């Protein structure tokens, strides 16, 4: 069976693993998923991530982070979907919880947070929001 939205699958795996208290979650790897994981690591939402070889396939392993027994990521949602892409110009990039959360964007300069995109003066596709 083919997967229509691998980014939504990644976010759902993270959400589900945190609900049951797992310390690590694995998923099929891709360049975009790795870039999203790097942004999550840079913003201190996850412990670490690594790409592993599993036979002929690559897997992305993400170490989840908890504080006082609760997941650091309280909310992680897909914004732009295959059926409805959401693009925002540099002046219309959304603020998540008045700057407490981040929106992850795919821009012409790579995958970055909303703050970095505003600073660089670029817009792009809003992939997801994390708070």
């Amino acid at each position: 069976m083919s997967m229509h939205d691998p980014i939504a699958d990644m976010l759902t795996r993270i959400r589900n693993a945190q609900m049951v208290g797992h310390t690590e979650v694995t998923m099929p790897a891709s360049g975009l998923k790795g870039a999203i994981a790097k942004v999550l690591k840079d913003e201190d939402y996850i412990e670490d991530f690594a790409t592993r070889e599993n036979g002929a396939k690559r897997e992305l392993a993400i170490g989840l982070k908890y504080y006082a027994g609760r997941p650091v990521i309280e909310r992680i949602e897909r914004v732009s979907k295959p059926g409805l892409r959401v693009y925002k110009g540099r002046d219309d990039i959304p603020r998540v919880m008045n700057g407490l959360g981040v929106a992850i964007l795919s821009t012409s300069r790579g995958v970055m947070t909303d703050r970095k995109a505003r600073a660089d003066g670029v817009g792009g596709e809003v992939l997801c929001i994390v708070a």
Side-chain angles (χ1 to χ4, degrees):
M1 182 174 187
S2 66
M3 190 181 317
H4 296 287
D5 193 1
I7 303 306
D9 177 66
M10 172 190 184
L11 303 180
T12 301
R13 285 178 192 236
I14 291 172
R15 252 191 321 272
N16 289 345
Q18 284 187 326
M19 279 196 284
V20 295
H22 288 190
T23 57
E24 184 178 271
V25 62
T26 60
M27 63 203 70
S30 74
L32 184 58
K33 289 180 191 177
I36 292 171
K38 183 179 183 324
V39 170
L40 291 173
K41 169 116 175 75
D42 293 343
E43 292 294 314
D44 220 25
Y45 283 110
I46 61 173
E47 287 288 336
D48 204 2
F49 70 97
T51 304
R52 302 178 185 151
E53 296 294 328
N54 185 5
K57 300 187 179 201
R58 290 182 8 220
E59 281 188 343
L60 179 67
I62 296 177
L64 301 174
K65 193 172 191 178
Y66 296 89
Y67 178 75
R70 301 203 51 202
V72 172
I73 299 173
E74 292 181 4
R75 184 172 138 212
I76 185 165
E77 295 175 9
R78 182 81 155 115
V79 175
S80 184
K81 300 175 172 118
L84 179 63
R85 299 289 184 187
V86 177
Y87 296 96
K88 297 291 181 181
R90 65 180 183 197
D91 300 326
D92 300 325
I93 297 172
R95 290 190 191 280
V96 180
M97 294 175 58
N98 285 330
L100 294 177
V102 297
I104 300 177
L105 282 84
S106 176
T107 69
S108 58
R109 297 187 188 166
V111 177
M112 60 181 72
T113 65
D114 56 337
R115 288 187 291 273
K116 177 128 176 53
R118 266 189 228 97
D120 289 355
V122 294
E125 181 182 358
V126 183
L127 297 175
C128 61
I129 57 169
V130 184

